[in-house]
Amino acid sequence: MTTDPEPVCVLAMKAGKLRSDLEAELSVDGYEVRCAESIAEVEARLTPSVADLLIVGTLEDRAASCALLRGLRDGRLGEGRVAPGLPAMAIV
């Protein structure tokens, strides 16, 4: 009998109560959670494995969060190794 792997969520936001609460809830819901605090860390956590969900909060600054989402949709994130159709959610 084989089991399906846990879905992977990359949680891109500064460390803090919100991130730790989201990480705990996502884990309870069956996600493997990979946390990142910068665009570079997000790219490292999305590659080579493909994530099932990207949640973006506040990174280094507000512009970095927007740049991350633009890069994802433009196909530039991870130098094109991350699918632009990856489901993403922004927490603002």
Side-chain angles (χ1 to χ4, degrees), residues 8-13 19 23 32-54 77-78 81-82 86:
V8 176
C9 175
V10 174
L11 190 52
M13 63 177 52
R19 186 177 93 179
E23 185 176 4
E32 174 189 332
V33 181
R34 299 177 186 173
C35 295
E37 293 189 32
S38 68
I39 292 174
E41 286 183 28
V42 170
E43 290 177 326
R45 281 157 182 72
L46 288 175
T47 307
S49 298
V50 176
D52 298 290
L53 174 64
L54 172 63
L77 189 61
R81 293 182 305 252
V82 179
L86 174 69

Side-chain angles (χ1 to χ4, degrees), residues 5-84:
E6 290 181 319
V8 176
C9 175
V10 174
L11 190 52
M13 63 177 52
K14 290 181 185 178
K17 181 163 175 33
L18 177 60
R19 186 177 93 179
S20 61
D21 289 349
L22 283 171
E23 185 176 4
E25 288 299 322
L26 288 163
S27 294
V28 167
D29 288 341
Y31 282 89
E32 174 189 332
V33 181
R34 299 177 186 173
C35 295
E37 293 189 32
S38 68
I39 292 174
E41 286 183 28
V42 170
E43 290 177 326
R45 281 157 182 72
L46 288 175
T47 307
S49 298
V50 176
D52 298 290
L53 174 64
L54 172 63
I55 299 177
V56 180
T58 303
L59 293 170
E60 304 98 304
D61 54 45
R62 290 181 182 159
S65 300
C66 291
L68 174 64
L69 291 168
R70 268 193 308 277
L72 172 65
R73 295 301 176 229
D74 292 347
R76 293 179 286 117
L77 189 61
E79 297 177 356
R81 293 182 305 252
V82 179

